[in-house]
Amino acid sequence: MSSREVIVLSVGGVRFVTRASTLQQFPESRLARMVNDNDPEFKLVNGEFFVDRDGALFSYLMDFLRTLQVSLPADFSDYQRLQREAEFYGLYPLADLLSQEYLLKPRLEILEVRFSLQEMQTFFRIFGSCSATIEALAEQITVFTGQQSGQGWNSPFPSQKPLVPLPLERPSHHDIVFLCGTEYSASDQFVARYVSIKPDNRKLINGTNVLGLLFDTLLKDGFRLISTRTVASEEKVECYTFERMKRAAGFAIMMNQTPGSSGVAQARRSQVQKGK
């Protein structure tokens, strides 16, 4: 059997077809011993190995053996059962990782948008529980400024100087502060601030329009609006709270092979985010 390249397993009535080398990723596991006919628990029936275990959970084990990464659905909850199955098959590096359930569970992410409309300007402050999300938004949002004469302000196409991008204010890793609209400057001129949010290419000066585009961007990114409240009515400060379930970073199992050894497995956090 060790020379066969394709192995067929029937686990609890669910059929799996894979390579022998995939099942031998962990030489000390029962699956590797099965390939070598060294485990009586797996019965060979009509050319297929049969084992009376949970077939649905085994599909996650097969994905792990093929990728050496732990990638579970966002709504997955059977961590203890999957850990028990991993232990049964002798996949102890995976079982050890599953025992640290808190590392693999999705986490709730909160984002708050404060919106203050004052005279001809609108102030925004975005606070997020995840600094990586704030960093991503900071790369999407650009504020442009330019001057134009008061005489031409009410004309359909006022003349203005080229717009210059401004850096966003970052009070902390969890905050973004910016504003849009106009204000007076010397020599009867307006200073205008426009906001652009990628991938939208428009430059918006109206605060309500910017708020709408920001909402649309957050909703497309998986957030949902959960509450709206007035923080300070006299200052016209509105607060909008969003949340989303963000999956933990993926984990990869690294095999360190040394001559004459069967390999040592270690888990490390993947640099690639496994979904949101």
Side-chain angles (χ1 to χ4, degrees):
M1 280 298 299
S2 60
S3 62
R4 289 184 58 179
E5 183 180 359
V6 177
I7 302 292
V8 180
L9 298 93
S10 177
V11 183
V14 182
R15 193 168 181 264
F16 297 89
V17 181
T18 187
R19 293 177 179 272
S21 58
T22 300
L23 300 175
Q24 293 171 320
Q25 290 277 18
F26 296 86
E28 303 301 325
S29 70
R30 298 186 70 177
L31 291 170
R33 296 202 304 268
M34 176 202 73
V35 174
N36 297 320
D37 289 332
N38 290 330
D39 195 311
E41 184 77 28
F42 299 88
K43 305 295 184 182
L44 189 60
V45 179
N46 297 327
E48 299 182 6
F49 284 100
F50 174 79
V51 59
D52 190 16
R53 303 292 293 191
D54 191 307
L57 290 178
F58 188 74
S59 65
Y60 297 119
L61 302 185
M62 281 302 308
D63 180 66
F64 166 72
L65 289 171
R66 287 166 174 153
T67 65
L68 293 183
Q69 294 184 353
V70 182
S71 180
L72 300 173
D75 58 350
F76 186 81
S77 60
D78 289 338
Y79 292 94
Q80 292 184 346
R81 291 182 60 214
L82 186 57
Q83 179 188 351
R84 189 165 60 242
E85 293 301 295
E87 291 172 345
F88 170 81
Y89 292 105
L91 300 174
Y92 295 110
L94 175 59
D96 291 342
L97 186 56
L98 289 168
S99 68
Q100 304 177 66
E101 188 176 324
Y102 68 95
L103 293 175
L104 300 172
K105 278 188 172 181
R107 299 178 184 181
L108 183 63
E109 181 180 355
I110 301 296
L111 189 141
E112 181 182 277
V113 176
R114 293 200 175 195
F115 171 83
S116 176
L117 183 61
Q118 300 178 8
E119 298 296 333
M120 296 185 295
Q121 292 185 318
T122 305
F123 294 82
F124 291 85
R125 180 192 176 208
I126 304 174
F127 173 84
S129 60
C130 177
S131 61
T133 297
I134 296 299
E135 291 291 342
L137 278 174
E139 293 180 359
Q140 289 179 265
I141 300 173
T142 305
V143 177
F144 296 89
T145 184
Q147 289 188 341
Q148 52 195 30
S149 64
Q151 183 179 3
W153 176 251
N154 293 322
S155 64
F157 303 100
S159 60
Q160 62 181 26
K161 296 180 180 180
L163 298 179
V164 178
L166 289 176
L168 299 178
E169 292 184 41
R170 296 294 307 277
S172 74
H173 293 298
H174 293 271
D175 290 81
I176 299 175
V177 177
F178 61 93
L179 62 89
C180 64
T182 60
E183 63 180 346
Y184 286 108
S185 68
S187 305
D188 191 30
Q189 294 213 337
F190 284 102
V191 175
R193 286 185 174 86
Y194 300 81
V195 174
S196 177
I197 305 178
K198 297 176 182 178
D200 195 294
N201 293 320
R202 291 174 296 170
K203 295 179 177 64
L204 304 176
I205 197 170
N206 181 279
T208 302
N209 293 341
V210 173
L211 183 66
L213 179 57
L214 180 60
F215 274 29
D216 186 55
T217 301
L218 294 175
L219 294 174
K220 288 180 179 179
D221 201 26
F223 284 96
R224 67 185 186 96
L225 180 65
I226 59 172
S227 70
T228 302
R229 71 183 191 277
T230 300
V231 178
S233 57
E234 65 278 5
E235 297 178 2
K236 300 180 181 179
V237 179
E238 301 292 331
C239 179
Y240 305 90
T241 304
F242 296 80
E243 71 173 17
R244 72 174 175 184
M245 293 302 294
K246 186 175 183 180
R247 293 182 59 184
F251 281 82
I253 302 294
M254 305 301 295
M255 297 294 295
N256 297 327
Q257 295 286 352
T258 58
S261 72
S262 57
V264 178
Q266 293 181 327
R268 71 170 178 86
R269 193 183 297 269
S270 173
Q271 299 300 315
V272 179
Q273 201 72 9
K274 307 298 285 186
K276 298 181 176 74

PDB file of all heavy atoms in Angstrom, residues 203-223:
ATOM      1  N   LYS A 203     -14.061  64.163  -5.564  1.00  0.00           N
ATOM      2  CA  LYS A 203     -13.589  65.033  -4.493  1.00  0.00           C
ATOM      3  C   LYS A 203     -14.811  65.789  -3.968  1.00  0.00           C
ATOM      4  O   LYS A 203     -15.343  66.665  -4.644  1.00  0.00           O
ATOM      5  CB  LYS A 203     -12.507  65.992  -4.998  1.00  0.00           C
ATOM      6  CG  LYS A 203     -11.224  65.286  -5.433  1.00  0.00           C
ATOM      7  CD  LYS A 203     -10.199  66.297  -5.935  1.00  0.00           C
ATOM      8  CE  LYS A 203      -8.883  65.623  -6.306  1.00  0.00           C
ATOM      9  NZ  LYS A 203      -9.035  64.691  -7.434  1.00  0.00           N
ATOM     10  N   LEU A 204     -15.258  65.461  -2.770  1.00  0.00           N
ATOM     11  CA  LEU A 204     -16.498  65.986  -2.215  1.00  0.00           C
ATOM     12  C   LEU A 204     -16.209  67.060  -1.179  1.00  0.00           C
ATOM     13  O   LEU A 204     -15.313  66.900  -0.331  1.00  0.00           O
ATOM     14  CB  LEU A 204     -17.306  64.852  -1.576  1.00  0.00           C
ATOM     15  CG  LEU A 204     -17.628  63.664  -2.492  1.00  0.00           C
ATOM     16  CD1 LEU A 204     -18.352  62.581  -1.714  1.00  0.00           C
ATOM     17  CD2 LEU A 204     -18.458  64.112  -3.689  1.00  0.00           C
ATOM     18  N   ILE A 205     -16.994  68.128  -1.218  1.00  0.00           N
ATOM     19  CA  ILE A 205     -16.817  69.221  -0.263  1.00  0.00           C
ATOM     20  C   ILE A 205     -17.962  69.284   0.731  1.00  0.00           C
ATOM     21  O   ILE A 205     -17.819  69.826   1.831  1.00  0.00           O
ATOM     22  CB  ILE A 205     -16.671  70.572  -1.006  1.00  0.00           C
ATOM     23  CG1 ILE A 205     -16.087  71.640  -0.077  1.00  0.00           C
ATOM     24  CG2 ILE A 205     -17.992  71.009  -1.604  1.00  0.00           C
ATOM     25  CD1 ILE A 205     -15.697  72.924  -0.789  1.00  0.00           C
ATOM     26  N   ASN A 206     -19.103  68.716   0.381  1.00  0.00           N
ATOM     27  CA  ASN A 206     -20.272  68.713   1.254  1.00  0.00           C
ATOM     28  C   ASN A 206     -20.151  67.592   2.288  1.00  0.00           C
ATOM     29  O   ASN A 206     -19.969  66.427   1.939  1.00  0.00           O
ATOM     30  CB  ASN A 206     -21.546  68.545   0.418  1.00  0.00           C
ATOM     31  CG  ASN A 206     -22.799  68.565   1.271  1.00  0.00           C
ATOM     32  OD1 ASN A 206     -23.153  67.558   1.869  1.00  0.00           O
ATOM     33  ND2 ASN A 206     -23.459  69.712   1.318  1.00  0.00           N
ATOM     34  N   GLY A 207     -20.253  67.949   3.580  1.00  0.00           N
ATOM     35  CA  GLY A 207     -20.046  66.971   4.644  1.00  0.00           C
ATOM     36  C   GLY A 207     -21.037  65.820   4.623  1.00  0.00           C
ATOM     37  O   GLY A 207     -20.681  64.680   4.896  1.00  0.00           O
ATOM     38  N   THR A 208     -22.300  66.109   4.288  1.00  0.00           N
ATOM     39  CA  THR A 208     -23.307  65.053   4.233  1.00  0.00           C
ATOM     40  C   THR A 208     -22.982  64.043   3.137  1.00  0.00           C
ATOM     41  O   THR A 208     -23.146  62.830   3.312  1.00  0.00           O
ATOM     42  CB  THR A 208     -24.697  65.655   3.994  1.00  0.00           C
ATOM     43  OG1 THR A 208     -24.998  66.589   5.037  1.00  0.00           O
ATOM     44  CG2 THR A 208     -25.763  64.570   3.981  1.00  0.00           C
ATOM     45  N   ASN A 209     -22.488  64.533   2.001  1.00  0.00           N
ATOM     46  CA  ASN A 209     -22.088  63.637   0.917  1.00  0.00           C
ATOM     47  C   ASN A 209     -20.886  62.777   1.320  1.00  0.00           C
ATOM     48  O   ASN A 209     -20.813  61.596   0.990  1.00  0.00           O
ATOM     49  CB  ASN A 209     -21.754  64.439  -0.341  1.00  0.00           C
ATOM     50  CG  ASN A 209     -22.974  65.118  -0.940  1.00  0.00           C
ATOM     51  OD1 ASN A 209     -24.110  64.737  -0.659  1.00  0.00           O
ATOM     52  ND2 ASN A 209     -22.757  66.137  -1.754  1.00  0.00           N
ATOM     53  N   VAL A 210     -19.928  63.395   2.018  1.00  0.00           N
ATOM     54  CA  VAL A 210     -18.760  62.642   2.487  1.00  0.00           C
ATOM     55  C   VAL A 210     -19.197  61.557   3.466  1.00  0.00           C
ATOM     56  O   VAL A 210     -18.723  60.421   3.408  1.00  0.00           O
ATOM     57  CB  VAL A 210     -17.735  63.580   3.149  1.00  0.00           C
ATOM     58  CG1 VAL A 210     -16.594  62.777   3.787  1.00  0.00           C
ATOM     59  CG2 VAL A 210     -17.168  64.557   2.125  1.00  0.00           C
ATOM     60  N   LEU A 211     -20.122  61.903   4.370  1.00  0.00           N
ATOM     61  CA  LEU A 211     -20.621  60.916   5.343  1.00  0.00           C
ATOM     62  C   LEU A 211     -21.287  59.748   4.624  1.00  0.00           C
ATOM     63  O   LEU A 211     -21.081  58.588   4.977  1.00  0.00           O
ATOM     64  CB  LEU A 211     -21.601  61.581   6.296  1.00  0.00           C
ATOM     65  CG  LEU A 211     -22.149  60.694   7.425  1.00  0.00           C
ATOM     66  CD1 LEU A 211     -21.038  60.301   8.387  1.00  0.00           C
ATOM     67  CD2 LEU A 211     -23.277  61.415   8.174  1.00  0.00           C
ATOM     68  N   GLY A 212     -22.090  60.050   3.601  1.00  0.00           N
ATOM     69  CA  GLY A 212     -22.745  58.984   2.847  1.00  0.00           C
ATOM     70  C   GLY A 212     -21.755  58.070   2.164  1.00  0.00           C
ATOM     71  O   GLY A 212     -21.915  56.846   2.167  1.00  0.00           O
ATOM     72  N   LEU A 213     -20.707  58.654   1.568  1.00  0.00           N
ATOM     73  CA  LEU A 213     -19.683  57.839   0.905  1.00  0.00           C
ATOM     74  C   LEU A 213     -18.908  57.010   1.913  1.00  0.00           C
ATOM     75  O   LEU A 213     -18.574  55.837   1.652  1.00  0.00           O
ATOM     76  CB  LEU A 213     -18.729  58.750   0.124  1.00  0.00           C
ATOM     77  CG  LEU A 213     -17.584  58.054  -0.623  1.00  0.00           C
ATOM     78  CD1 LEU A 213     -18.107  57.008  -1.597  1.00  0.00           C
ATOM     79  CD2 LEU A 213     -16.714  59.081  -1.356  1.00  0.00           C
ATOM     80  N   LEU A 214     -18.627  57.582   3.090  1.00  0.00           N
ATOM     81  CA  LEU A 214     -17.926  56.840   4.135  1.00  0.00           C
ATOM     82  C   LEU A 214     -18.766  55.657   4.612  1.00  0.00           C
ATOM     83  O   LEU A 214     -18.244  54.546   4.786  1.00  0.00           O
ATOM     84  CB  LEU A 214     -17.609  57.767   5.304  1.00  0.00           C
ATOM     85  CG  LEU A 214     -16.878  57.148   6.504  1.00  0.00           C
ATOM     86  CD1 LEU A 214     -15.532  56.567   6.087  1.00  0.00           C
ATOM     87  CD2 LEU A 214     -16.697  58.190   7.602  1.00  0.00           C
ATOM     88  N   PHE A 215     -20.082  55.874   4.798  1.00  0.00           N
ATOM     89  CA  PHE A 215     -20.979  54.782   5.179  1.00  0.00           C
ATOM     90  C   PHE A 215     -20.957  53.671   4.138  1.00  0.00           C
ATOM     91  O   PHE A 215     -20.865  52.490   4.467  1.00  0.00           O
ATOM     92  CB  PHE A 215     -22.412  55.313   5.334  1.00  0.00           C
ATOM     93  CG  PHE A 215     -22.716  55.882   6.682  1.00  0.00           C
ATOM     94  CD1 PHE A 215     -21.718  56.447   7.457  1.00  0.00           C
ATOM     95  CD2 PHE A 215     -24.000  55.864   7.185  1.00  0.00           C
ATOM     96  CE1 PHE A 215     -21.998  56.986   8.700  1.00  0.00           C
ATOM     97  CE2 PHE A 215     -24.295  56.390   8.427  1.00  0.00           C
ATOM     98  CZ  PHE A 215     -23.289  56.960   9.194  1.00  0.00           C
ATOM     99  N   ASP A 216     -21.051  54.061   2.880  1.00  0.00           N
ATOM    100  CA  ASP A 216     -21.063  53.081   1.795  1.00  0.00           C
ATOM    101  C   ASP A 216     -19.763  52.268   1.790  1.00  0.00           C
ATOM    102  O   ASP A 216     -19.787  51.050   1.594  1.00  0.00           O
ATOM    103  CB  ASP A 216     -21.246  53.795   0.455  1.00  0.00           C
ATOM    104  CG  ASP A 216     -21.414  52.831  -0.704  1.00  0.00           C
ATOM    105  OD1 ASP A 216     -22.315  51.980  -0.653  1.00  0.00           O
ATOM    106  OD2 ASP A 216     -20.623  52.909  -1.665  1.00  0.00           O
ATOM    107  N   THR A 217     -18.633  52.933   2.033  1.00  0.00           N
ATOM    108  CA  THR A 217     -17.334  52.255   2.071  1.00  0.00           C
ATOM    109  C   THR A 217     -17.276  51.244   3.206  1.00  0.00           C
ATOM    110  O   THR A 217     -16.814  50.107   3.028  1.00  0.00           O
ATOM    111  CB  THR A 217     -16.204  53.293   2.237  1.00  0.00           C
ATOM    112  OG1 THR A 217     -16.256  54.216   1.137  1.00  0.00           O
ATOM    113  CG2 THR A 217     -14.846  52.612   2.263  1.00  0.00           C
ATOM    114  N   LEU A 218     -17.770  51.629   4.389  1.00  0.00           N
ATOM    115  CA  LEU A 218     -17.731  50.735   5.550  1.00  0.00           C
ATOM    116  C   LEU A 218     -18.666  49.539   5.368  1.00  0.00           C
ATOM    117  O   LEU A 218     -18.314  48.407   5.718  1.00  0.00           O
ATOM    118  CB  LEU A 218     -18.100  51.508   6.812  1.00  0.00           C
ATOM    119  CG  LEU A 218     -17.112  52.599   7.248  1.00  0.00           C
ATOM    120  CD1 LEU A 218     -17.655  53.366   8.437  1.00  0.00           C
ATOM    121  CD2 LEU A 218     -15.752  51.997   7.578  1.00  0.00           C
ATOM    122  N   LEU A 219     -19.844  49.780   4.816  1.00  0.00           N
ATOM    123  CA  LEU A 219     -20.796  48.691   4.607  1.00  0.00           C
ATOM    124  C   LEU A 219     -20.257  47.671   3.609  1.00  0.00           C
ATOM    125  O   LEU A 219     -20.432  46.455   3.781  1.00  0.00           O
ATOM    126  CB  LEU A 219     -22.141  49.241   4.143  1.00  0.00           C
ATOM    127  CG  LEU A 219     -22.906  50.102   5.163  1.00  0.00           C
ATOM    128  CD1 LEU A 219     -24.144  50.713   4.523  1.00  0.00           C
ATOM    129  CD2 LEU A 219     -23.299  49.277   6.387  1.00  0.00           C
ATOM    130  N   LYS A 220     -19.593  48.147   2.567  1.00  0.00           N
ATOM    131  CA  LYS A 220     -19.001  47.238   1.581  1.00  0.00           C
ATOM    132  C   LYS A 220     -17.846  46.444   2.190  1.00  0.00           C
ATOM    133  O   LYS A 220     -17.509  45.361   1.691  1.00  0.00           O
ATOM    134  CB  LYS A 220     -18.512  48.026   0.370  1.00  0.00           C
ATOM    135  CG  LYS A 220     -19.626  48.554  -0.514  1.00  0.00           C
ATOM    136  CD  LYS A 220     -19.081  49.332  -1.698  1.00  0.00           C
ATOM    137  CE  LYS A 220     -20.207  49.826  -2.592  1.00  0.00           C
ATOM    138  NZ  LYS A 220     -19.701  50.621  -3.746  1.00  0.00           N
ATOM    139  N   ASP A 221     -17.245  46.981   3.256  1.00  0.00           N
ATOM    140  CA  ASP A 221     -16.117  46.311   3.897  1.00  0.00           C
ATOM    141  C   ASP A 221     -16.570  45.348   4.995  1.00  0.00           C
ATOM    142  O   ASP A 221     -15.741  44.833   5.742  1.00  0.00           O
ATOM    143  CB  ASP A 221     -15.164  47.353   4.496  1.00  0.00           C
ATOM    144  CG  ASP A 221     -13.771  46.793   4.708  1.00  0.00           C
ATOM    145  OD1 ASP A 221     -13.383  45.850   3.992  1.00  0.00           O
ATOM    146  OD2 ASP A 221     -13.068  47.272   5.618  1.00  0.00           O
ATOM    147  N   GLY A 222     -17.884  45.119   5.102  1.00  0.00           N
ATOM    148  CA  GLY A 222     -18.384  44.128   6.040  1.00  0.00           C
ATOM    149  C   GLY A 222     -18.908  44.672   7.352  1.00  0.00           C
ATOM    150  O   GLY A 222     -19.374  43.897   8.198  1.00  0.00           O
ATOM    151  N   PHE A 223     -18.851  45.987   7.545  1.00  0.00           N
ATOM    152  CA  PHE A 223     -19.406  46.576   8.766  1.00  0.00           C
ATOM    153  C   PHE A 223     -20.917  46.708   8.658  1.00  0.00           C
ATOM    154  O   PHE A 223     -21.472  46.758   7.567  1.00  0.00           O
ATOM    155  CB  PHE A 223     -18.799  47.966   9.018  1.00  0.00           C
ATOM    156  CG  PHE A 223     -17.397  47.935   9.566  1.00  0.00           C
ATOM    157  CD1 PHE A 223     -16.317  48.063   8.715  1.00  0.00           C
ATOM    158  CD2 PHE A 223     -17.167  47.786  10.918  1.00  0.00           C
ATOM    159  CE1 PHE A 223     -15.018  48.047   9.205  1.00  0.00           C
ATOM    160  CE2 PHE A 223     -15.877  47.762  11.424  1.00  0.00           C
ATOM    161  CZ  PHE A 223     -14.800  47.892  10.566  1.00  0.00           C
TER     162      PHE A 223
END
